[in-house]
Amino acid sequence: MFNRLKIAMYTLLSGVNVALVGQLKLNEIMVLLSAPFVFDTRDFKAYPLFRKIIVALVALFVFQAITDLFVVKSSSENFMRGWAAIIMSILSFLFLFKTLKDDEAIFFFLCMTLIKNIIWTDENADTDMSYFKFKMVPILSYGVYILSFLLYRNGQWKAVLALLLCYSLLCFARDSRSTGMVFFLGAIIIYCFNSGMYLTRDRLLVFGLAGAILFQFAYVSYVNGVMNHEIGGEHASEQIDRLDNPYNPLELLMTGRGETFAALAAIGDAPLFGHGSWAKDDNLKYYRILLLYQNEEMNEQLATSTDHLIPSHSILLGAWVNAGVGGFVAVLLVFILLLRMGFYLIRHAADTALYPVLVLMTIGVIWTFLFSPIQQLRFNIPAIGAILLRAYYEFAEEENEVGDTEHINGSIAFISPEGKI
């Protein structure tokens, strides 16, 4: 009961900001106060991957401090805000790893996050499409997580596929392409590992080619729908209209994620140590690069009226921009460790009730590290990482128990879910 209370407080208080060292969430104050009670050095020995992730995040903090204090000499306001974000990422990871102890705790966390998103998600949107993307998607996505868990636990994996595909199509139609792609790929993976299919190298090659052709066909259909104003919204139409070749998906990715190329330019200017915490784009050099990839003209008066940070919109590149190559390597290690656990669970844990959530979160990790702001290392990654870690070690322990009583051959059998929780 007390553990559920902690989960409820953590999720619900995450929507309240507190003006302290920049802005902290109220749940982060709770994490700070509980840190002495959740820290246990024995966990580092019992869970090696957990130890490696924490060490990598500590290394990120060290590299950031070196850059801020000795290289760029960041202002105390900026480096305190940058350091606080990394420290909160570490402490949130510790707290959630100790709190999300099993499937029941994880399921309760998903339910409470859904409630939090209903209460606190930003409703300031100027169009129906942006309202759907920024208000409804966080609510609906967690609703799909919960329904997928319940259906899969009861052996209804085909119903899970239908749910994921319908939701992905809704997201594509309502201008939330990245979310739609995550859930679409999740449906494909769940199908592959529940249909009795054996994946060989030749089959992977065939499926890869077929998938590429199918993707291009679907993309062309999507572009035609947007250009005919049948699907998507004003934002999608504006993006498609400014492309030289709208049927080239790479052009759409470039214009939609221009921050990535601006970050690469910033990295080229300071590759070893980076630009420091909360680095300002003082002469708007990188902002101009961003607009160049978005085919937009800059309003000089409006642009100079506010401060601009160096754009990155990528956890990996953002760490390099802020803390140099050392910060990039540290975050890359966290990324690799999370993917290692996620891919292992995708391949081996298809008979667990949490499987759809694990699949979707693993795909989400890839997108988040590549194309989401570095702040997500503080807000979303600790929860995803703690869930993957707990599921990984719980499944590994069960495999070891089975290995003590059964002879396991080297082949892999893909079985339908048995409703285990």
Side-chain angles (χ1 to χ4, degrees), residues 108-257:
F108 185 70
F109 174 81
L110 297 176
C111 293
M112 295 309 301
T113 303
L114 171 63
I115 295 173
K116 185 271 295 184
N117 287 341
I118 294 174
I119 299 172
W120 295 115
T121 308
D122 185 17
E123 296 187 26
N124 295 324
D126 53 3
T127 67
D128 290 340
M129 290 297 176
S130 59
Y131 180 84
F132 177 84
K133 186 173 182 178
F134 298 111
K135 174 63 180 179
M136 296 307 300
V137 164
I139 296 172
L140 293 176
S141 294
Y142 273 88
V144 172
Y145 283 159
I146 293 167
L147 287 176
S148 297
F149 178 95
L150 295 174
L151 290 170
Y152 202 84
R153 183 182 62 178
N154 293 324
Q156 302 296 322
W157 66 271
K158 292 182 179 179
V160 173
L161 294 184
L163 175 64
L164 299 186
L165 290 174
C166 289
Y167 181 56
S168 67
L169 292 175
L170 175 64
C171 289
F172 284 127
R174 302 291 293 179
D175 200 20
S176 184
R177 295 186 298 261
S178 57
T179 302
M181 184 58 67
V182 167
F183 282 82
F184 181 77
L185 292 177
I188 293 176
I189 291 172
I190 292 171
Y191 171 78
C192 290
F193 285 90
N194 280 276
S195 61
M197 182 184 300
Y198 288 86
L199 295 179
T200 63
R201 183 178 301 177
D202 292 339
R203 284 187 176 182
L204 285 174
L205 179 60
V206 172
F207 290 155
L209 291 174
I213 295 172
L214 178 62
F215 171 80
Q216 185 61 35
F217 175 79
Y219 177 74
V220 170
S221 300
Y222 168 78
V223 170
N224 288 335
V226 172
M227 295 175 68
N228 294 328
H229 304 287
E230 296 171 351
I231 60 174
E234 182 179 348
H235 176 66
S237 297
E238 290 176 353
Q239 285 187 330
I240 295 296
D241 289 343
R242 62 179 178 240
L243 299 180
D244 293 331
N245 179 11
Y247 297 105
N248 182 354
L250 293 180
E251 283 196 32
L252 180 61
L253 180 63
M254 290 171 64
T255 191
R257 289 293 180 264

Side-chain angles (χ1 to χ4, degrees), residues 62-110:
V62 171
F63 288 121
Q64 189 67 75
I66 291 173
T67 294
D68 287 333
L69 295 179
F70 303 110
V71 181
V72 302
K73 297 179 173 58
S74 302
S75 67
S76 58
E77 178 186 6
N78 285 344
F79 74 66
M80 288 297 290
R81 293 165 75 183
W83 295 2
I86 300 173
I87 291 171
M88 289 315 309
S89 177
I90 297 171
L91 295 182
S92 296
F93 208 108
L94 288 168
F95 176 86
L96 289 168
F97 181 70
K98 298 291 287 188
T99 305
L100 302 178
K101 299 178 179 180
D102 49 37
D103 281 10
E104 290 184 358
I106 293 171
F107 179 71
F108 185 70
F109 174 81
L110 297 176

